[in-house]
Amino acid sequence: IPPPPADIEPGRKRRIVRERDPIDMTLDLHGLDQDKARSALLRFLPQAQAQGERAVLVITGKGARGDGVLRRQTPDWLGDASLRPVVAGWSFAHRRHGGEGAIYVALKRLKP
């Protein structure tokens, strides 16, 4: 089993922020409870990878006081063993893409 995902490499994050590397797909978890949000994430990321996507945006929201449950839990879910072959790294988004209420997820290339 590969190790859990680390931060996105700085150069790749910079290209995503500057929109030189596109955000291929977006998953909005607003309004979902924890179980539904986790299930949606665990389905979405492998599907995005299977479609050849390389970077996605996961919108968690910040919660009423800036410490929302989904915002706190999503990084842990990205470390799930089933996602280790999928997720290359993650990072909180730049403010233009939602800041700390959104997460960039870099996806690994599918091996032929």
Side-chain angles (χ1 to χ4, degrees):
I1 296 176
D7 287 344
I8 295 176
E9 317 105 43
R12 187 167 185 195
K13 182 177 179 181
R14 192 170 29 259
R15 290 190 307 273
I16 293 170
V17 168
R18 292 180 180 168
E19 299 177 354
R20 290 191 180 123
D21 279 1
I23 294 172
D24 299 309
M25 296 175 75
T26 300
L27 174 65
D28 190 345
L29 300 176
H30 278 116
L32 299 179
D33 64 33
Q34 287 182 63
D35 291 334
K36 288 181 180 167
R38 185 173 188 273
S39 293
L41 184 72
L42 294 177
R43 280 190 316 272
F44 173 77
L45 294 175
Q47 287 174 348
Q49 182 193 41
Q51 293 175 18
E53 312 302 6
R54 299 284 289 132
V56 298
L57 183 69
V58 177
I59 301 169
T60 62
K62 294 182 192 177
R65 295 183 306 274
D67 64 343
V69 172
L70 298 181
R71 180 179 170 275
R72 284 194 322 267
Q73 293 294 325
T74 301
D76 291 338
W77 298 338
L78 292 170
D80 187 277
S82 69
L83 292 179
R84 290 187 183 174
V86 177
V87 176
W90 69 273
S91 179
F92 285 109
H94 184 274
R95 120 176 132 235
R96 82 172 60 154
H97 294 126
E100 301 236 341
I103 295 174
Y104 298 129
V105 181
L107 302 176
K108 294 180 180 179
R109 290 186 197 276
L110 273 180
K111 295 184 177 155

